[in-house]
Amino acid sequence: MVKDLIREAAEAILRSKYLIALTGAGVSAESGVPTFRGRDGLWRRFRAEELATPEAFRRNPKLVWEWYVWRMGIVFRAKPNPAHEALAKLEGLGILKCLITQNVDGLHQLAGSKCVIELHGSLRRVRCVSCGFREVINEPPKEVPPKCPKCGSLLRPDVVWFGEAIPEDAWSSAMEHTYRADAILVVGTSAVVAPASYIPRIVKYRGGKVIEINVSESAITYIADIFIKERAGEALPKIVDVINELISR
Ligand code: OAD
Ligand code: ZN
């Protein structure tokens, strides 16, 4: 029963000394941000894998930018949901040490999470393809593709595309936390995109507990010690409630 699993998860979390989290698009689904895979993962008739690549951008920067303008529009209007808030509370309690996310929506930070490692960059920034210019934005560009104010080259979203490396500082701090972790919460990710998908596997291999929350099975469900098949915005607040109840005893 889900109720027993919630309690089991809360107890495992309280037994851990260094809990981390890996999140994916599923944590933001309840904020109205579409996931990448599955039914609502398509934009016009394209898949993320056909648009989020350097080749697609070279071939057709306007098309790729139109997709990002659509996504930025959604993200800038979106608000954190109870899943983001529960994760921020777990950090506030001193239990969750750091959160590693594949999301580019910035909603964890808006919910109050402090230690957030963005593996795939952020839709809230753009950068120049040639001169190193970078800028925080709070609305999508009016004209696409936008040009760099410094050198006139194309600006691109400051995100990681398929075939590109994860920013070195993000990856090295993710690994520092991963190697310290004795438990990991894996929330709302299909866990099919490497190297992010290695993170729960490393924790597991080193003897740590894997607690997964997802509405359906993912590529790492088979290594999960506890799998809670429920929406993140439902399960996470319940786990936090049980934790609060256990520590106030
Ligand atoms: P996916 O779209 O691949 O997976 C979303 C996961 O969330 C699925 O496993 C769903 O079952 C689950 N899910 C959906 N709604 C949920 C809810 N309310 N509560 C809990 N789980 C829910 O997204 P990611 O795993 O984040 O990379 O995708 C990984 C990467 O692939 C992305 O960061 C992006 C993408 O292409 C790049 O662009 C480089
Ligand atoms: Zn430039």
Side-chain angles (χ1 to χ4, degrees):
M1 255 173 65
V2 168
K3 189 155 177 271
D4 301 327
L5 288 176
I6 297 281
R7 176 159 289 265
E8 236 185 272
E11 287 168 353
I13 287 170
L14 279 178
R15 275 195 303 273
S16 71
K17 294 201 166 54
Y18 204 92
L19 174 75
I20 62 170
L22 173 70
T23 66
V27 278
S28 295
E30 290 158 77
S31 294
V33 182
T35 58
F36 292 96
R37 294 173 184 80
R39 249 187 315 134
D40 37 328
L42 290 176
W43 175 78
R44 297 186 194 168
R45 61 213 151 67
F46 299 99
R47 297 174 188 287
E49 291 89 335
E50 296 163 28
L51 292 161
T53 71
E55 294 75 31
F57 190 70
R58 264 197 301 275
R59 215 181 305 131
N60 197 340
K62 192 163 186 299
L63 174 74
V64 172
W65 257 114
E66 282 167 359
W67 181 51
Y68 278 100
V69 165
W70 172 71
R71 290 178 59 200
M72 284 168 172
I74 294 171
V75 159
F76 290 139
R77 284 190 302 270
K79 302 221 165 20
N81 68 57
H84 299 106
E85 283 156 12
L87 288 164
K89 281 184 194 152
L90 272 183
E91 183 184 15
L93 287 168
I95 295 170
L96 179 64
K97 300 302 188 285
C98 201
L99 190 162
I100 303 166
T101 188
Q102 301 164 83
N103 296 347
V104 290
D105 55 33
L107 292 179
H108 285 301
Q109 293 92 328
L110 278 182
S113 285
K114 297 282 180 287
C115 186
V116 180
I117 300 170
E118 292 180 317
L119 291 181
H120 294 166
S122 175
L123 290 181
R124 295 174 192 267
R125 289 189 307 265
V126 292
R127 71 176 149 94
C128 174
V129 296
S130 39
C131 80
F133 173 82
R134 227 187 207 96
E135 185 177 43
V136 171
I137 55 171
N138 45 36
E139 57 177 359
K142 297 256 170 359
E143 270 172 48
V144 291
K147 302 270 166 56
C148 175
K150 284 255 165 68
C151 77
S153 299
L154 288 185
L155 289 177
R156 58 169 280 179
D158 195 9
V159 297
V160 176
W161 284 331
F162 286 102
E164 293 182 328
I166 287 177
E168 218 167 289
D169 51 340
W171 186 248
S172 62
S173 50
M175 281 303 99
E176 259 172 52
H177 291 288
T178 301
Y179 278 86
R180 289 179 73 177
D182 61 352
I184 182 167
L185 264 172
V186 184
V187 192
T189 177
S190 55
V192 293
V193 174
S197 58
Y198 301 154
I199 291 171
R201 292 183 169 89
I202 296 171
V203 175
K204 177 78 178 184
Y205 182 71
R206 295 171 50 80
K209 285 261 179 290
V210 176
I211 303 159
E212 182 179 34
I213 299 166
N214 198 309
V215 290
S216 53
E217 292 197 6
S218 76
I220 63 103
T221 304
Y222 76 100
I223 65 162
D225 297 279
I226 301 170
F227 174 55
I228 300 173
K229 192 171 180 172
E230 201 176 20
R231 293 213 302 258
E234 305 271 331
L236 281 169
K238 286 193 274 186
I239 292 174
V240 172
D241 284 348
V242 175
I243 286 175
N244 274 323
E245 184 192 311
L246 291 172
I247 53 184
S248 67
R249 272 195 194 155

